[in-house]
Amino acid sequence: MRRSDVDFAQLYREQMARSGRARKPASAWDERARKLRGRMTSGTYAADFIARMDLEGVETLLDVGCGPGTIGVPLARRLRRVYGLDYSPMMLEVLMENAAAHGVDNVVPVLRAWEDDWSDLPRCDIAVASRSTAVEDMAAAIEKLNAHARKRVYMTTLVGGQFVDPEIAALLGRRQEPFPDYIYVVNILYSMGIHPRLDYIELPSRLAGTRDFAEFAERVAWSFGELQPEELERLRQWYAADPERSRRGGAPMRWALIDWEPPP
């Protein structure tokens, strides 16, 4: 079989279906928006992401799945306009609070999901999809990004397809089929005749740095759903057995940073 015979877009859709995890509703992100606001400036992710961007001649940015403005708000001082797109109304409210706190008034909130009609959105110099690409149809998402970016697209997607250390899933007896990871995206772009650049950003586990077991269990439940009493007990034993491991939250996360020039 030749590479050109492989339908990577279909393979992605099949793997996403096998993962069996539906996208969280906007209401779930509404509930977390305030907590995420405080984390916007913590850690090195935004700085690492922005450091890898080519902003020469760039005036406008479309930030898809913008959340509290982790990428868009720090860039707003350097650009003429930033459009922050999210399907959570509360996340957009927090986005604007963060913009005001940073003294910028050129951020425009847009209530929109990946699956919605984007025909009224402007074409910007750059489109960004930062940690917001757990979509059912990656090829369709890429087409939308290409249609709304003149110069370049930047995307981060999971390496390994797991948001939480697989050891935690095994501990809970909730082994999960992984999400399609970054290599699907690279191959879909290749099949479109696009040759992307690839880099990596490594971060502590999303379970890292919790103050106590209650907060740790809350973060685990965000990924796996409500925990049963026996699951909580196994998790408590794991947490107590190795305080340093618990502080780290297990294995670190790696994000693939993929960027490319959209077709003219």
Side-chain angles (χ1 to χ4, degrees):
M1 179 181 289
R2 295 173 301 176
R3 184 188 297 269
S4 58
D5 295 328
V6 180
D7 187 343
F8 292 107
Q10 180 60 27
L11 291 177
Y12 174 97
R13 290 190 290 267
E14 292 171 358
Q15 180 64 34
M16 179 58 79
R18 283 194 297 272
S19 74
R21 284 167 282 184
R23 186 182 67 177
K24 293 185 182 296
S27 58
W29 290 108
D30 286 344
E31 293 174 3
R32 284 179 62 83
R34 296 288 174 199
K35 293 180 180 179
L36 292 178
R37 180 184 179 184
R39 296 185 200 170
M40 193 190 89
T41 55
S42 64
T44 62
Y45 174 82
D48 288 345
F49 188 111
I50 292 170
R52 291 162 167 81
M53 297 177 71
D54 181 0
L55 297 174
E56 184 176 357
V58 171
E59 294 186 344
T60 55
L61 171 75
L62 176 65
D63 187 359
V64 181
C66 63
T70 304
I71 301 299
V73 168
L75 286 173
R77 287 184 181 276
R78 303 163 66 176
L79 304 175
R80 179 172 57 83
R81 188 79 67 203
V82 171
Y83 297 89
L85 186 154
D86 208 290
Y87 71 112
S88 162
M90 185 58 70
M91 203 66 80
L92 291 177
E93 185 174 317
V94 171
L95 166 72
M96 298 311 292
E97 291 174 1
N98 280 331
H102 283 74
V104 293
D105 60 2
N106 58 341
V107 177
V108 179
V110 182
L111 184 62
R112 207 69 55 89
W114 278 103
E115 297 79 13
D116 293 339
D117 180 13
W118 290 14
S119 60
D120 62 325
L121 297 183
R123 194 175 188 210
C124 295
D125 292 322
I126 285 179
V128 164
S130 167
R131 300 187 291 193
S132 62
T133 57
V135 295
E136 293 183 5
D137 189 336
M138 180 57 69
I142 289 172
E143 293 287 5
K144 279 191 168 182
L145 292 171
N146 285 342
H148 288 83
R150 279 187 288 265
K151 294 179 179 288
R152 203 148 193 93
V153 177
Y154 292 87
M155 172 190 292
T156 44
T157 189
L158 274 174
V159 175
Q162 301 280 5
F163 283 101
V164 175
D165 187 338
E167 182 181 344
I168 300 292
L171 175 73
L172 299 175
R174 298 201 190 187
R175 296 184 185 276
Q176 296 177 317
E177 184 78 15
F179 285 105
D181 81 344
Y182 78 99
I183 202 64
Y184 285 87
V185 179
V186 172
N187 281 317
I188 291 169
L189 289 165
Y190 179 89
S191 68
M192 293 177 171
I194 297 171
H195 303 285
R197 293 188 303 185
L198 177 63
D199 204 343
Y200 300 95
I201 298 174
E202 184 168 304
L203 300 173
S205 163
R206 62 165 49 182
L207 304 178
T210 53
R211 293 163 296 184
D212 51 30
F213 175 73
E215 184 181 359
F216 184 82
E218 179 184 351
R219 292 194 193 179
V220 172
W222 170 257
S223 292
F224 292 97
E226 183 179 358
L227 301 178
Q228 299 303 311
E230 61 274 15
E231 294 174 325
L232 275 171
E233 183 56 33
R234 289 198 297 272
L235 191 64
R236 189 186 304 276
Q237 292 176 10
W238 184 94
Y239 185 87
D242 187 338
E244 177 59 25
R245 179 185 62 182
S246 301
R247 186 191 65 79
R248 296 193 310 269
M253 291 185 70
R254 293 183 77 205
W255 293 92
L257 175 58
I258 306 167
D259 67 278
W260 67 90
E261 296 177 7

